[in-house]
Amino acid sequence: MKQLHTLMDRWWVDFRKWNPSADAVYQLLSAQEGTVTHDHIALRTFDDHTVHIDTVMAPLVAAGYVCRAEYVFPMTHVYSQHYEHDDATLPKVFISQLEARHFSQELQMTLTRLIDQIPREILGTWDFFTTARPWKTSFAVYETLKKESEYAAWVSAFGFQPTHFAVRMNAFVQYNELTTLNSFLKKHGFVPSTTGGEIQGSPDVFLEQSSLKAAETMVEFSDGTYPIPGTFYEFAKRYSMPGGTLFNGFITASAENLF
Ligand code: NI
């Protein structure tokens, strides 16, 4: 459990460092609402046997995370699962993996070249998460991957760190509606993502979410340092299902911001 909390703390510290506007929003909301906690974090990986979900999640599962549901996204060739922990202060973990076989031979070979650089002894251990990106790669590779899959390109640049943290809005008093929250954030100069609409989901599907545009991040590659879209901050409001239980799953209709 200690390692789990250490990892969560480190991910959060790194997330705020890479995404200063998320940090600013966190501070702003903390000042308005008191304690801000997170509903979930999202991780990405590939379906290669060395780094597939079961391997990546092994240390978190050993520390008490349990898989609660799975999701398929045939359009983007992504498969995902969400995990929950008995300790309700811990965020849910939404993890997805790209199914590389649906893409070109070239993309598959590029991913293999990246994955082959990961030291074998860290696979399936806590150490897997200690470096943001466990391989050397170039901006040229990023650009080539991006033509086929933004998902693959993102992981090539950022590795296995969370793509986003999602704020748990349910405890909020002033800003517990996404419309109110979004106008408050816009008034303070933050830019919501409008891909698929500012608000995704609805009370009918028991989950509403919105997110800020991904932070432009300077990333060091072997052929130079370039600004590319990095992590993003998300806001999630959950609704009770008939019977009164809060919906803890995810919706697949608004795939764009899920991962
Ligand atoms: Ni999310």
Side-chain angles (χ1 to χ4, degrees), residues 81-227:
Q81 297 178 343
H82 100 252
Y83 288 71
E84 293 176 37
H85 199 283
D86 277 346
D87 178 351
T89 64
L90 287 164
K92 287 179 270 295
V93 174
F94 181 92
I95 181 166
S96 58
Q97 68 187 14
L98 191 72
E99 295 173 328
R101 65 183 179 280
H102 298 291
F103 295 89
S104 72
Q105 208 63 40
E106 192 195 355
L107 180 139
Q108 294 180 44
M109 278 160 54
T110 304
L111 298 189
T112 303
R113 275 195 294 272
L114 297 179
I115 292 165
D116 282 350
Q117 295 180 51
I118 306 173
R120 284 305 176 257
E121 65 274 15
I122 69 168
L123 291 168
T125 75
W126 295 103
D127 290 342
F128 178 73
F129 302 108
T130 53
T131 49
R133 191 179 71 194
W135 47 59
K136 289 194 172 67
T137 188
S138 65
F139 185 62
V141 163
Y142 171 83
E143 292 264 78
T144 307
L145 287 174
K146 203 176 171 190
K147 284 180 198 147
E148 275 192 79
S149 165
E150 287 210 18
Y151 185 116
W154 194 96
V155 181
S156 80
F158 293 100
F160 300 98
Q161 63 178 306
T163 61
H164 64 272
F165 274 71
V167 169
R168 184 181 287 163
M169 287 176 63
N170 285 55
F172 283 5
V173 177
Q174 281 188 79
Y175 300 104
N176 70 345
E177 291 294 340
L178 276 164
T179 44
T180 324
L181 178 69
N182 281 346
S183 26
F184 175 68
L185 294 177
K186 279 190 267 189
K187 204 178 77 192
H188 282 84
F190 299 103
V191 187
S193 164
T194 50
T195 314
E198 255 183 41
I199 298 174
Q200 311 206 326
S202 69
D204 292 344
V205 293
F206 314 115
L207 175 63
E208 284 180 307
Q209 300 196 118
S210 66
S211 59
L212 297 178
K213 267 189 162 18
E216 204 74 346
T217 307
M218 294 301 288
V219 175
E220 258 181 66
F221 293 97
S222 58
D223 50 354
T225 300
Y226 294 88

Side-chain angles (χ1 to χ4, degrees), residues 40 164 166 209 234 257-258:
H40 65 271
H164 64 272
Q209 300 196 118
E234 190 173 78
N257 284 353
L258 258 187

